[in-house]
Amino acid sequence: MNDWILPLLVGIPALGALAVALAPAKRDGLFSLALLFCAAEAALAIFTFTKFDGTNPNEQFSFSRPWFALPTGAGEAVPVAFHLGIDGLSLLLVALSGLLAPVILLSAKGHIERREREFLVWSLVMIAGMQGVFLSRDLLLFYFFWEISLIPLYFIIGIWGGPRRVYATVKFFLYTLAGSVVMLIALLYLAYNFGTVAIQELSTKDIPVRAQLGCFLAFALAFAIKVPMVPFHTWLPDAHVEAPTAGSIVLAGVLLKMGTYGFLRLGVGMFPAAAVQCGPWIAGIGAAGIIYGSLLAYGQSDMKKLIACSSVAHMGTIVVGMFALNAAGLRGGILQMINHGLSTGLLFLLVGVLYERRHVREIAEFGGLAQVIPAFAVVLTVATFSSIGLPGLNGFPGEFLCLKGAFDASPLLGAAAAVGTVLGAVYMLSMLRRVAFGPITRGENQKLIDLNGREWASAIILLIPMVWIGLQPSLFIKPTEPAVDLLISQIEKGRRSLALENGASLKIANAGAAETGKSGGRR
Amino acid sequence: MSDDLLRFAPIALPIAGAVLGMLLEALLRKPKVAMWLTVASLAGSIVSVFGGATGLAGYGSELYTLDAAGGILTAGASAFALLALFLSVNYLKPQDDEFPGEIPILLALVPAGIGIIAGARHAMMIFLGIELLSVPLYALVALRRANAAAVEGAVKYFLLGAFAAGFITFGMSLLFASEHSLDLDALRAAAGRSPVAAAGTALFLAGLLFKLSAAPFHFWTPDAYEGAATPVTALMASTTKIGAVAGLLKITPLLPASAWPALAAIALLSIAAGNFGALLQDRVKRILAYSSVAHAGTILLALAAGLSAADPALAADLHSAASRASVYYLIAYGASAFGAFGIIAILERGGDRFRTIGDFRGLSRRQPAAAWLLTFFLLSLGGIPPTGGFWAKYFVFATAVQAGQLWIAVAGIILSVVGVAYYLRIVATCFMASEDAELGAPPQGKVPLPALLATLAAGVGVLVLGFAPAELLGLIGR
């Protein structure tokens, strides 16, 4: 029975897309139908979370069926399986994707006023694709879902986006596609040289350090563009600004995490020696991203662009935590992925709420909103606090662990990341102050209507886990720990093979020196 | 004896159908008869391939034996010709269609020519097949005699095609002068043996690359594709490459392994020329014509990889991997390109609409089904899952990686991403035009049912190839 949970997690939204595409219903009926599927998806995701055995480091609820065989030169074929599984690394992300599904639809209902059917279909396909990415345990299947998940967002931004939507969406699509095709070549290299594309099996192979490095860099390019890491981040602000609210929520909430998750599962998991070798560089780029993103965010006058740039900074924090390559950093990175999804998702939702009412997003257009729409201001304040990592909310444990990991790895790295965190507080609080507090500067804002039932519902779906993670972080960190420990042992293996490699090359160098010495002597 | 008949059935049936059709057309003047004869003979050809016509030895087998991959190519070409026939029903306006019986007759000969190439064991057979494939196409392109573009395209196609035929025959004569045989087994690795044979092989290859429309032999392609009536374009896009690659699969073993960089260079050049050329076009048929040049390059990547091993055991393995990948690519690409041109044919309905990309503006609002299907085919051409085009690209690049050509594969795949840019441009025009933008021309008249069915069949093919790549791969065999 349990092995059907994961196919259902992918299948429910996929079936939902089919049902919505074919249903004879009109606007409201379609929304309800899609919402039904999303609610089922969310319920199943929560069910998976509660059923998950948090003491088991390995994948659970496995579902594996042979798909096809890729023939090789050596005569035997590389089996490709439709293999889904969940473990501590993906658990929280799967739960988050499921939870966000209804939020996406609820937020969309206010501003998607044309071509609803198409929108709902693409949203559901998007959710199915993302779950597929997080659940795939076969490299080829992972790539398959990874590419599929590009298409829905291409349409969501391109059809329902702002004035420069076509530019933004084509840039997004081509940028990410260019990154991922190089990953495909690395994937093929692995298939032919190691005879398998099963992620688990590849993790246990002793891949030579040089090959690890090449493959790691090919995968890292795809992930760095997706995260996005500086200097590959330029597509993100464009995409966010042009995307409709629902698109921004998906993008910030889950899609970017495909990059960081890929780094963990594939980058560190399969090529630990290369990860150890490149780790400091990547963490350094991440730290640069924190500071650069924060400065960018501080300079923005458009709320949506500000949050988009803050995403660059926050994703930098996650990368720094992960590539500290120690237990604290990895745990923090995993938790922070969820936190960023929740808080940034909520922030985009709130910007969307304002945009639906005023059709502007400039910070200067608002001010003193707390007096007119107090409930909105409260939620915005909570979201801001969560984003800057105030204790008691979800941002705190995640950011703390990331910073601790960074400090353990290198005080310099930790210091850079900490500076970024302080900058984060500066621009977020200044936005909050200018939008929600002070005098009401614009007459139009006098008549704003506060959050309605639908908006409350989607906000509460996000607020509950935000508070819960803040108050009881161990509940969410514990199930990831065995998987993180497994990853740590993998990293240790990487360190050893790297040391061995260095030792060997040292030996070869010594032998070479001896050889030269001998021949010199002979001469 | 019965085995001998079965052996030739995949090529004999369409030829017999065409000859009989010509006779009956002359006597009865009933185009329906020729049409149904063609349908029956092409269906018979497909059935005979799957009914055991492949791999049989017997009378004449030193000239013609169809292997499993060749069988798939023959059956695929017959299927595409059949679909093109359905697509052409009611397409031409009466004044363009003075001899309605000609189309099915000419159509039937195209897959027969491909079948001859696919089973050829003698260089002369390849030449015969190429001519049998090309001559009907020259006529089909020129079908709309009143249309200047059609005549221009046909003349260009014919003249350059004549050059290619000249190359091939000259190459054959050089090969014969050097090797005293045109048997393909005897010619194996001939190009390495003498400069004359090398020149002959190179000329032969150049002729085939012309038919494949690989760069720098591709200049006829946009004109011929644009000038031809769209159902004919669909036929050309889906089948001519099958014929050319079937020939290349027979001729590349003549080359020494050290020739692979030349093929790889032509492959990369084609991908670049096709994709960058397409970026500059505004007319959709020309865009797809240039894209076909890029796809030709992608197939050549597989062939170059298949050639690259000097060690005989590995070479056999790589060659079979390359032939598998290229056959898969041909079928998947053929179905996708056929589908895309099919949609355009349905939208045009014989008129002069839907030429430039602007005519597609806001198509999703006027004809959502057409816009969706077109998008699906374009995504497949771009190699995005879950389509057959994805696996096609995948298998080609897999072959290159298997051959150890990592950097060639990386260059090829990055150049391929350029292609996605213009596919997305069409998709964006269909779907993302703003509400108040001026829409393109509205379609007129009813959608012809046979054309719709043909296009849908191509769509089902692309979808099945996308989700179950193993099935076709299994049929192609080792």
Side-chain angles (χ1 to χ4, degrees):
Chain A
M1 151 75 209
N2 274 351
D3 59 342
W4 283 99
I5 292 182
L6 303 186
L8 273 179
L9 273 173
V10 182
I12 288 177
L15 283 178
L18 201 65
V20 171
L22 302 176
K26 283 264 182 282
R27 182 188 154 85
D28 282 337
L30 285 179
F31 262 107
S32 313
L33 182 65
L35 200 58
L36 194 71
F37 278 96
C38 284
E41 174 78 1
L44 189 63
I46 294 169
F47 175 76
T48 315
F49 184 77
T50 54
K51 279 283 180 186
F52 184 83
D53 173 11
T55 55
N56 181 351
N58 296 315
E59 61 165 295
Q60 300 174 28
F61 312 128
S62 293
F63 174 90
S64 184
R65 299 282 182 278
W67 197 8
F68 68 97
L70 181 64
T72 68
E76 75 265 37
V78 179
V80 179
F82 194 95
H83 184 175
L84 303 176
I86 189 168
D87 68 0
L89 301 185
S90 49
L91 174 69
L92 293 178
L93 286 166
V94 170
L96 176 70
S97 311
L99 208 58
L100 278 179
V103 176
I104 294 164
L105 287 202
L106 285 173
S107 79
K109 188 137 193 239
H111 66 95
I112 301 296
E113 281 153 353
R114 58 195 173 90
R115 298 165 81 177
E116 297 88 0
R117 189 191 298 270
E118 283 169 75
F119 179 85
L120 296 171
V121 169
W122 283 130
S123 302
L124 287 161
V125 172
M126 177 90 242
I127 295 158
M130 292 184 311
Q131 293 288 31
V133 167
F134 294 134
L135 293 173
S136 298
R137 304 297 305 220
D138 186 286
L139 214 44
L140 198 58
L141 192 64
F142 174 88
Y143 186 82
F144 192 74
F145 281 123
W146 175 277
E147 294 276 2
I148 284 183
S149 66
L150 278 179
I151 305 171
L153 200 61
Y154 167 74
F155 281 103
I156 289 177
I157 299 177
I159 297 179
W160 295 275
R164 289 171 69 242
R165 58 185 185 275
V166 175
Y167 167 78
T169 198
V170 170
K171 186 170 173 183
F172 152 75
F173 196 99
L174 291 181
Y175 218 137
T176 38
L177 183 67
S180 51
V181 291
V182 182
M183 173 163 82
L184 180 64
I185 301 291
L187 187 163
L188 290 166
Y189 173 84
L190 290 171
Y192 282 111
N193 288 281
F194 301 98
T196 177
V197 283
I199 294 174
Q200 189 55 41
E201 217 176 314
L202 278 170
S203 308
T204 57
K205 297 250 171 182
D206 283 318
I207 304 173
V209 173
R210 247 183 77 85
Q212 281 199 26
L213 197 62
C215 291
F216 180 82
L217 289 177
F219 278 88
L221 179 67
F223 301 147
I225 290 176
K226 198 75 148 193
V227 168
M229 284 168 68
V230 175
F232 302 114
H233 65 283
T234 54
W235 63 267
L236 185 71
D238 280 322
H240 263 316
V241 169
E242 299 305 323
T245 304
S248 288
I249 295 176
V250 186
L251 192 57
V254 198
L255 206 85
L256 305 185
K257 276 71 188 179
M258 284 165 48
T260 40
Y261 170 77
F263 264 127
L264 273 192
R265 164 81 62 210
L266 306 179
V268 180
M270 294 195 313
F271 319 113
V276 169
Q277 221 171 356
C278 303
W281 294 97
I282 294 182
I285 297 173
I290 303 179
I291 294 172
Y292 184 70
S294 301
L295 293 176
L296 271 185
Y298 191 64
Q300 301 302 328
S301 56
D302 178 315
M303 286 171 80
K304 212 166 177 189
K305 212 159 187 170
L306 185 145
I307 300 168
C309 294
S310 87
S311 276
V312 176
H314 284 139
M315 294 307 284
T317 313
I318 297 170
V319 170
V320 167
M322 286 182 341
F323 278 91
L325 296 178
N326 51 36
L330 287 169
R331 281 173 206 167
I334 293 170
L335 187 63
Q336 196 59 13
M337 285 189 221
I338 311 307
N339 294 338
H340 177 251
L342 293 169
S343 60
T344 310
L346 186 54
L347 284 168
F348 276 124
L349 187 80
L350 294 171
V351 174
V353 166
L354 283 186
Y355 187 76
E356 274 167 38
R357 286 159 174 66
R358 287 280 325 274
H359 294 280
V360 285
R361 291 189 301 250
E362 295 289 311
I363 296 175
E365 288 281 334
F366 301 100
L369 292 187
Q371 301 166 38
V372 194
I373 42 174
F376 172 88
V378 168
V379 179
L380 180 66
T381 310
V382 174
T384 307
F385 285 171
S386 153
S387 171
I388 64 179
L390 203 77
L393 285 168
N394 60 339
F396 178 69
E399 212 159 75
F400 178 80
L401 282 171
C402 283
L403 289 182
K404 175 168 189 314
F407 269 109
D408 287 349
S410 136
L412 190 66
L413 187 67
V419 168
T421 314
V422 175
L423 287 175
V426 173
Y427 63 78
M428 286 307 294
L429 288 176
S430 111
M431 182 198 76
L432 177 66
R433 179 182 59 75
R434 284 189 284 164
V435 169
F437 301 107
I440 303 170
T441 49
R442 302 280 167 135
E444 300 96 306
N445 292 338
Q446 292 280 13
K447 289 196 282 295
L448 283 183
I449 304 161
D450 214 337
L451 298 180
N452 61 27
R454 177 176 53 78
E455 288 155 353
W456 263 121
S458 39
I460 281 175
I461 294 177
L462 296 171
L463 282 169
I464 290 173
M466 278 163 76
V467 176
W468 200 335
I469 296 175
L471 296 178
Q472 199 188 359
S474 62
L475 178 70
F476 300 88
I477 298 176
K478 266 265 153 43
T480 68
E481 277 175 3
V484 168
D485 292 341
L486 204 64
L487 208 57
I488 294 282
S489 68
Q490 190 75 356
I491 292 168
E492 287 309 320
K493 184 180 124 191
R495 288 216 167 91
R496 276 198 306 278
S497 57
L498 203 61
L500 212 65
E501 175 87 3
N502 287 340
S505 57
L506 211 61
K507 247 184 238 162
I508 290 168
N510 286 341
E515 193 73 24
T516 352
K518 245 190 262 167
S519 58
R522 221 180 289 147
R523 197 182 302 140
Chain B
M1 186 57 209
S2 66
D3 267 7
D4 279 347
L5 283 180
L6 185 59
R7 259 159 42 71
F8 288 110
I11 50 173
L13 279 176
I15 294 176
V19 172
L20 199 59
M22 263 183 254
L23 209 65
L24 292 176
E25 173 70 9
L27 294 174
L28 302 176
R29 292 259 156 219
K30 283 210 173 110
K32 279 263 155 65
V33 175
M35 184 182 143
W36 287 113
L37 255 176
T38 299
V39 170
S41 64
L42 289 177
S45 157
I46 298 172
V47 168
S48 67
V49 166
F50 292 107
T54 57
L56 293 176
Y59 171 74
S61 58
E62 64 272 23
L63 290 178
Y64 172 86
T65 306
L66 205 58
D67 59 8
I72 294 292
L73 291 181
T74 311
S78 297
F80 288 133
L82 203 55
L83 293 182
L85 182 59
F86 287 124
L87 196 58
S88 70
V89 174
N90 294 344
Y91 177 82
L92 290 178
K93 284 177 285 188
Q95 72 265 26
D96 288 330
D97 204 8
E98 292 168 57
F99 307 103
E102 278 176 351
I103 299 180
I105 294 166
L106 293 170
L107 270 176
L109 291 173
V110 173
I114 290 168
I116 292 177
I117 308 171
R121 302 190 61 185
H122 193 276
M124 188 59 87
M125 293 293 278
I126 298 181
F127 177 71
L128 284 179
I130 290 279
E131 290 305 292
L132 191 57
L133 150 71
S134 303
V135 175
L137 278 175
Y138 303 145
L140 281 170
V141 174
L143 209 59
R144 297 183 296 175
R145 281 181 292 176
N147 185 321
V151 176
E152 185 196 336
V155 168
K156 262 191 194 166
Y157 189 25
F158 172 70
L159 283 180
L160 290 170
F163 268 114
F167 280 157
I168 293 179
T169 38
F170 191 35
M172 279 202 300
S173 49
L174 289 179
L175 277 171
F176 189 76
S178 156
E179 300 291 315
H180 307 293
S181 166
L182 284 177
D183 184 79
L184 288 172
D185 285 331
L187 286 178
R188 191 166 284 275
R193 290 201 282 272
S194 77
V196 176
T201 312
L203 283 171
F204 207 130
L205 271 180
L208 290 172
L209 290 175
F210 164 84
K211 291 290 169 197
L212 184 65
S213 66
F217 308 100
H218 66 284
F219 293 100
W220 59 273
T221 316
D223 293 314
Y225 273 41
E226 198 192 9
T230 309
V232 176
T233 318
L235 177 75
M236 288 171 76
S238 52
T239 56
T240 50
K241 282 186 178 36
I242 299 186
V245 173
L248 283 167
L249 283 170
K250 309 275 173 189
I251 293 300
T252 44
L254 270 59
L255 294 165
S258 59
W260 76 263
L263 268 189
I266 294 177
L268 291 181
L269 182 68
S270 302
I271 301 178
N275 282 340
F276 285 108
L279 277 179
L280 303 174
Q281 301 300 321
D282 258 334
R283 277 176 275 179
V284 175
K285 272 166 91 174
R286 287 184 87 85
I287 293 180
L288 291 178
Y290 273 102
S291 104
S292 87
V293 176
H295 286 282
T298 314
I299 300 173
L300 279 178
L301 270 187
L303 295 180
L307 189 63
S308 63
D311 167 42
L314 198 57
D317 262 339
L318 269 181
H319 189 258
S320 76
S323 84
R324 237 187 342 262
S326 48
V327 169
Y328 193 95
Y329 201 101
L330 286 167
I331 302 297
Y333 165 75
S336 320
F338 183 93
F341 282 116
I343 295 288
I344 297 173
I346 289 176
L347 290 171
E348 284 178 333
R349 276 167 229 160
D352 269 342
R353 299 176 294 272
F354 290 98
R355 309 223 128 223
T356 69
I357 201 164
D359 295 336
F360 287 75
R361 195 174 296 126
L363 184 69
S364 71
R365 264 170 284 152
R366 288 172 292 146
Q367 299 212 299
W372 283 108
L373 270 169
L374 184 63
T375 300
F376 178 67
F377 289 123
L378 291 175
L379 287 178
S380 178
L381 288 173
I384 312 284
T387 59
F390 168 71
W391 294 111
K393 282 226 165 53
Y394 174 85
F395 291 129
V396 165
F397 288 109
T399 315
V401 171
Q402 190 187 349
Q405 302 167 354
L406 273 180
W407 292 109
I408 304 269
V410 169
I413 207 162
I414 286 178
L415 284 173
S416 299
V417 173
V418 176
V420 178
Y422 55 82
Y423 298 128
L424 287 188
R425 189 175 156 223
I426 303 178
V427 174
T429 316
C430 290
F431 278 88
M432 300 172 190
S434 50
E435 291 295 292
D436 47 350
E438 198 183 319
L439 298 180
Q444 293 164 359
K446 267 177 58 183
V447 177
L449 186 66
L452 187 66
L453 288 180
T455 311
L456 284 179
V460 170
V462 175
L463 196 66
V464 169
L465 287 175
F467 277 105
E471 310 307 321
L472 180 61
L473 216 57
L475 284 178
I476 301 167
R478 283 195 60 83

